[in-house]
Amino acid sequence: MTQPRLQHRQLEVFRAVVRTGSITGASRVLGMSQPGVSKILAQTEELCRFCLFERLHGRLVPTQRGLNLFEETERLFMGMEEIAHLVDRLRTDQPRRAVIASIPVLAQELMPPVAGRWLRGCGPERLAVTTRDGGGVMAMAASRRAELGLTSASPRVPGMRSFLIARARALCALPPDHALATRDTLRPADLHGEPFVAISRHEGTQTLVDRVLQDEGVQPVEMAECPLIIGATGMAHAGVGIAFTDAFAARPFIPRGLVLRDFEPAVFFEYRAVWSEGMKNHFDRAAFLRLLSQCAEEILSEAPPSHVTRLS
């Protein structure tokens, strides 16, 4: 006997309940009655044959199985929404969109000048910039859901091409009142026993720093791990601990008093554009890569803050 399948409306109700945390909120979002939402949600759980929610402090909180289903449901609905947008653009003869998947720091600091120049004359496409972590960027590029991915350096992946956008010097980020802020250059021994904020080990960025510290027998006191380098830089500014950063991640915090210091021996963070070898070149990828490199170089050529020798 064939197992009945979940229908679109059931997934839509389930998604709305997860997002709003209540039957009332879902009914308001969907324009349905509360009994109607409750009935469809009950049908959904009956079809799944496992519990989707538990009640916590008056809210409906998804179970682990419910969360897993929600993640897949989000991908499904996002794909459907993309198709709907595409149909609208085709119907009205709007320019096609070039999807750029980017890690947050490059989306925030590099893509604004790139997008401005691109839209002023380099290409007819509109840009759709979406942010992901490094793994998410690679996944979007590999599955051809993005024309380009912008990420920190990662191991070579079969079937993927890459282009070096920038090579930024790693700098130590400290709050203004930190005792080490009086020094022009910090060395591994200076970090021994110091409160420390780690950046992404998953993407290999922190691993570069760990290797240097371990070679010197240095052990900072890790207070937090924040995979997003721009988030770790903000934590350093807030006094959580010293963090390693670079010209891109530090830019928003320099006017707010963040202290940057050179670190020796030098460590460099690389940023690359990646794309699938089989991806059709619907837009002028070469021109876009040149623009990325040019704008990155301009950022790295900015006058460094006091006591910092260079940014690249």
Side-chain angles (χ1 to χ4, degrees), residues 54-246:
E54 57 185 357
R55 188 168 291 278
L56 184 64
H57 304 305
R59 291 182 63 84
L60 290 177
V61 179
T63 62
Q64 187 57 56
R65 285 176 171 174
L67 280 174
N68 293 340
L69 178 61
F70 177 69
E71 289 175 3
E72 294 302 321
T73 303
E74 281 293 276
R75 293 190 184 99
L76 171 65
F77 274 81
M78 286 174 65
M80 293 174 64
E81 288 167 3
E82 283 295 314
I83 292 172
H85 289 318
L86 174 60
V87 170
D88 287 340
R89 291 197 302 274
L90 292 174
R91 184 188 303 116
T92 57
D93 292 324
Q94 296 178 31
R96 71 175 300 276
R97 297 192 309 168
V99 178
I100 310 297
S102 175
I103 57 175
V105 66
L106 296 185
Q108 178 171 314
E109 296 302 317
L110 182 58
M111 277 308 300
V114 168
R117 296 183 194 184
W118 180 261
L119 297 175
R120 282 196 296 269
C122 292
E125 296 87 2
R126 299 295 181 260
L127 300 178
V129 181
T130 182
T131 56
R132 298 286 191 278
D133 63 9
V137 168
M138 291 296 294
M140 286 195 68
S143 62
R144 304 181 189 179
R145 290 183 291 134
E147 270 77 10
L148 276 180
L150 309 182
T151 186
S152 52
S154 55
R156 180 171 174 78
V157 177
M160 297 293 291
R161 301 284 302 276
S162 74
F163 172 83
L164 180 64
I165 300 171
R167 193 166 181 260
R169 188 180 179 96
L171 303 166
C172 286
L174 311 94
D177 57 353
H178 198 285
L180 292 176
T182 60
R183 304 191 183 186
D184 289 347
T185 300
L186 299 186
R187 292 177 170 78
D190 296 322
L191 305 185
H192 189 72
E194 288 289 334
F196 187 73
V197 179
I199 49 181
S200 178
R201 290 191 172 94
H202 172 69
E203 295 167 15
T205 314
Q206 181 64 40
T207 306
L208 299 172
V209 176
D210 288 342
R211 196 174 297 134
V212 173
L213 299 181
Q214 289 165 7
D215 287 347
E216 297 289 331
V218 169
Q219 290 188 332
V221 179
E222 190 168 309
M223 308 300 292
E225 181 177 349
C226 185
L228 300 181
I229 188 171
I230 200 163
T233 306
M235 288 189 179
H237 178 258
V240 176
I242 298 170
F244 279 81
T245 188
D246 62 22

Side-chain angles (χ1 to χ4, degrees), residues 41 45 51 83 118 126 208 220 247 256 258 262 280 310:
L41 189 61
E45 287 196 317
C51 186
I83 292 172
W118 180 261
R126 299 295 181 260
L208 299 172
R256 294 155 60 181
L258 179 72
D262 287 330
K280 290 184 179 180
R310 60 186 183 278

